Amino acid sequence: MGETRSQSDWSSGVTSQLTLRIWHPDCWTLRTTRRANAGLVAHRVYQHDERITARVTAYGDTTDDVDDLIDEIDASELTDVAKRITNFFDPNYRSRTAGNATQELLVEYEPQYSIHDAILSRGFVPQDEIRIYDGYEYWTVIVSESRPEIQRRLDAVREEQDAEITVQGMKSSATGVSADDPFSELSQRQREVFELARREGYYTWPREVTAVDLADQLGVSKTTLLEHLRKAEAKLLGTE
């Protein structure tokens, strides 16, 4: 019965939430985060006179990690200008989904070096800030279409942009999705570390990976890794 109702919901075009992992060539965010031990959170994207300006937060475990990423952005042939923002006109604007060290940036680039328009023009509406790390973009979007139409539109983006798009999660409004996101209180780095630990089997019994192995994958010390996990666990359990 549940499967039959789900198929009916999809055919009627209910509103759905998708979590996407995206890779595509000639993208400045993917190239630079692949080369640096830091990530980006994209807040806003604007277009003016055939140029795109993105407001992003560069984040990492240390200031040196963030500076290395900014150096990569400055040096990239896919970007025109990268400006550090040192004055915060709205103190509430700074994203809480960042890391221990952060820097706000305005980055200018040409439209062909982003997949942003290809996704938005097909009716996918970003629900959260876009997360970029380790050479992948992570989008959470909502769309009101049937499942076959969603698949058709994703295939069109894949073909147009030569992109790899993995649907990591999909929920429909008919399933009674809660608006509360248990990960919303985590910093971006805490979320990354916790998701990696869960994915690699750190929380299984017996454990499939050690803290040292995870720290090596992330390029951090075991102490730093355990600090991130402790803080993430405390927030998820409501004890912090």
Side-chain angles (χ1 to χ4, degrees), residues 13-214:
V14 299
T15 301
S16 303
Q17 179 194 80
L18 285 74
T19 304
L20 308 173
R21 188 181 78 162
I22 300 174
W23 177 90
H24 57 108
D26 298 328
C27 175
W28 68 271
T29 63
L30 303 189
R31 285 194 186 181
T32 56
T33 58
R34 173 69 73 182
R35 295 170 179 170
N37 189 31
L40 294 167
V41 178
H43 308 288
R44 299 286 189 272
V45 176
Y46 310 91
Q47 184 166 357
H48 178 68
D49 290 340
E50 302 302 321
R51 284 289 187 274
I52 303 295
T53 300
R55 184 162 187 175
V56 302
T57 298
Y59 68 89
D61 288 325
T62 67
T63 300
D64 286 343
D65 289 338
V66 172
D67 287 341
D68 287 345
L69 176 56
I70 295 174
D71 287 343
E72 290 287 348
I73 295 172
D74 280 331
S76 176
E77 69 275 16
L78 305 182
T79 61
D80 297 325
V81 180
K83 301 176 182 178
R84 296 180 187 238
I85 303 174
T86 56
N87 295 318
F88 298 97
F89 304 102
D90 179 0
N92 296 318
Y93 186 84
R94 297 188 69 181
S95 174
R96 65 182 176 180
T97 58
N100 294 337
T102 63
Q103 175 62 59
E104 306 294 314
L105 301 170
L106 289 176
V107 182
E108 296 180 14
Y109 54 95
E110 296 181 13
Q112 65 264 33
Y113 300 136
S114 170
I115 202 170
H116 191 268
D117 284 349
I119 294 177
L120 267 61
S121 66
R122 289 175 170 85
F124 296 104
V125 179
Q127 187 174 24
D128 295 316
E129 297 162 325
I130 302 166
R131 301 178 289 137
I132 309 104
Y133 57 93
D134 292 338
Y136 288 95
E137 294 181 9
Y138 295 85
W139 292 61
T140 300
V141 299
I142 56 175
V143 61
S144 295
E145 293 294 345
S146 66
R147 188 168 187 174
E149 177 62 16
I150 291 172
Q151 186 64 54
R152 188 193 70 78
R153 294 186 185 188
L154 289 176
D155 286 341
V157 177
R158 292 184 179 103
E159 182 175 357
E160 177 184 296
Q161 299 291 317
D162 193 21
E164 298 174 6
I165 302 177
T166 302
V167 179
Q168 295 190 312
M170 181 179 287
K171 301 174 183 178
S172 77
S173 56
T175 61
V177 177
S178 171
D180 295 328
D181 178 4
F183 291 97
S184 63
E185 295 300 320
L186 303 188
S187 77
Q188 177 57 39
R189 191 57 163 166
Q190 289 164 5
R191 182 190 300 217
E192 291 172 22
V193 174
F194 183 80
E195 288 179 343
L196 175 67
R198 186 171 60 175
R199 188 168 61 248
E200 294 295 320
Y202 182 76
Y203 291 104
T204 63
W205 182 259
R207 282 179 173 165
E208 299 175 7
V209 66
T210 67
V212 172
D213 292 333
L214 292 174

Side-chain angles (χ1 to χ4, degrees), residues 215-235:
D216 287 344
Q217 288 189 49
L218 293 167
V220 301
S221 68
K222 177 182 175 181
T223 300
T224 298
L225 173 100
L226 292 176
E227 178 185 5
H228 285 312
L229 287 179
R230 182 193 65 77
K231 290 182 177 179
E233 291 162 0
K235 289 179 180 178

